[in-house]
Amino acid sequence: MTPSPNAAIAVQGLVKRFPGITAVDRLTFDVRPGEIFGLVGPDGAGKTTTLRILAGVMPPDEGSARVAGLDAIRDPEGVKHHISYMPQRFGLYEDLTVEENIRFYADLFGVRRREREERAARLLAASGMSEFRRRLAGQLSGGMKQKLALSCALIHLPRILLLDEPTFGVDPISRRDLWLIVHEMVHEGITAVVSTAYMDEAERFDRVALLHHGRLLALDAPARLQQ
């Protein structure tokens, strides 16, 4: 499999080893612009390691990864200007309010005040959190914290969104709200790569890469994989 030259993300022969384990084992795939691409597999499948490499926070041992047209291995800092990476434990400041957390992340990415206020209002409305904007993040439920983390990750309108198991341990209503936000942003042109261990979530993706022990078992649209 050779990744497309026009891909939003192109991964070729990616390998990452840790003592006693190969977490990512010669992984090759591409992600098309404007799609929701799923990395699906159980714990230990290599999902988180793959996302960390794509986010430029971890170098691979072998292979290549191009993200938004840039070399994620040679130029990880350049890649970070075009992406937003939401790890399983996103760095919310629990002693700041919902609004203050969003403002902090907007300032990090140089979002102008007017744009920040418009985007924040829209993201909070989409997640059903407008009435909680002055509540401390530490007083939010787990699902609301995830929705706030996603709002912070999207405040600068990244080209590519990397989400590492964003709905793990989240209540059904918050899970629904999270997916509504992701689908709305993808409709506006953002490309999303989402990891999950929930097979029922695979139907939400345009294409799915099934991973096991760091290897790619299958890659196709969910309906074709079911067949």
Side-chain angles (χ1 to χ4, degrees):
M1 181 192 305
T2 302
S4 167
N6 299 319
I9 294 175
V11 171
Q12 184 78 42
L14 212 59
V15 176
K16 183 63 182 181
R17 303 182 186 90
F18 297 103
I21 188 172
T22 300
V24 177
D25 194 354
R26 306 205 174 277
L27 201 56
T28 296
F29 64 86
D30 63 13
V31 180
R32 299 164 185 161
E35 76 172 340
I36 303 181
F37 186 90
L39 298 175
V40 180
D43 290 346
K47 305 184 301 295
T48 295
T49 301
T50 300
L51 287 178
R52 287 176 177 171
I53 293 172
L54 296 179
V57 299
M58 177 185 291
D61 295 309
E62 299 176 29
S64 64
R66 295 192 66 81
V67 178
L70 299 173
D71 191 322
I73 300 166
R74 295 183 178 180
D75 187 17
E77 293 304 314
V79 164
K80 290 173 185 177
H81 291 289
H82 300 283
I83 69 168
S84 195
Y85 171 47
M86 182 175 151
Q88 291 175 348
R89 294 183 179 180
F90 192 82
L92 291 175
Y93 291 88
E94 298 202 345
D95 56 344
L96 297 181
T97 65
V98 167
E99 196 169 44
E100 289 167 342
N101 268 283
I102 293 175
R103 186 186 310 150
F104 173 78
Y105 281 96
D107 289 345
L108 280 181
F109 287 98
V111 180
R112 295 177 180 176
R113 179 176 178 177
R114 181 176 177 181
E115 294 174 338
R116 180 194 75 211
E117 291 177 350
E118 290 176 352
R119 292 174 194 168
R122 187 171 155 208
L123 288 166
L124 289 174
S127 60
M129 290 184 58
S130 298
E131 62 183 286
F132 303 106
R133 61 193 310 148
R134 292 183 175 82
R135 180 173 294 186
L136 292 176
Q139 297 176 353
L140 299 175
S141 67
M144 291 174 71
K145 285 181 179 179
Q146 285 295 87
K147 290 191 287 185
L148 173 56
L150 183 57
S151 296
C152 291
L154 288 168
I155 194 64
H156 67 293
L157 288 183
R159 290 172 58 186
I160 295 173
L161 180 63
L162 306 174
L163 302 176
D164 192 5
E165 300 200 35
T167 61
F168 178 76
V170 172
D171 64 272
I173 293 176
S174 293
R175 183 188 292 194
R176 180 202 63 192
D177 291 343
L178 279 163
W179 283 118
L180 286 173
I181 298 170
V182 172
H183 279 276
E184 181 177 341
M185 300 311 294
V186 169
H187 182 71
E188 296 188 6
I190 285 179
T191 301
V193 180
V194 187
S195 74
T196 182
Y198 299 137
M199 292 302 295
D200 62 309
E201 290 193 339
E203 295 182 358
R204 297 180 178 273
F205 305 138
D206 296 306
R207 289 189 302 147
V208 172
L210 295 179
L211 305 182
H212 185 64
H213 292 317
R215 296 181 179 178
L216 179 66
L217 298 183
L219 196 165
D220 210 332
R224 284 195 285 271
L225 287 175
Q226 286 176 342
Q227 292 173 0

